[in-house]
Amino acid sequence: KANNQIVFTYAENINGSVANIAGITNKAGNVLGMMPHPERAMEALLGSEDGKRFFASMLKNFGKVTA
């Protein structure tokens, strides 16, 4: 938290994650570790298509810097 490495948090922490952390980066910010796995939610056949929104958002905002 002190290094601003937490990039995603759970709104509803059902798995017991410390500090509701769902995604964290390394100090350089170029490596992301994330749970849950949005790549597993790409087709209705798999139970959800929510992962598509996540990846579409990443593509749309790639390279944009926010302050």
Side-chain angles (χ1 to χ4, degrees), residues 2-67:
N3 295 323
N4 295 313
Q5 291 173 256
I6 300 170
V7 293
F8 298 109
T9 57
Y10 291 106
E12 204 173 309
N13 189 355
I14 61 171
N15 67 359
S17 172
V18 173
N20 296 341
I21 296 171
I24 190 166
T25 65
N26 64 344
K27 286 187 179 182
N30 62 342
V31 177
L32 168 68
M34 191 170 142
M35 284 290 290
H37 296 277
E39 73 278 6
R40 294 183 184 168
M42 298 296 288
E43 298 181 24
L45 179 67
L46 300 175
S48 175
E49 293 182 344
D50 290 347
K52 286 183 180 180
R53 294 186 335 207
F54 172 78
F55 288 112
S57 174
M58 286 181 66
L59 290 172
K60 178 181 174 187
N61 293 291
F62 182 75
K64 292 182 182 180
V65 178
T66 59

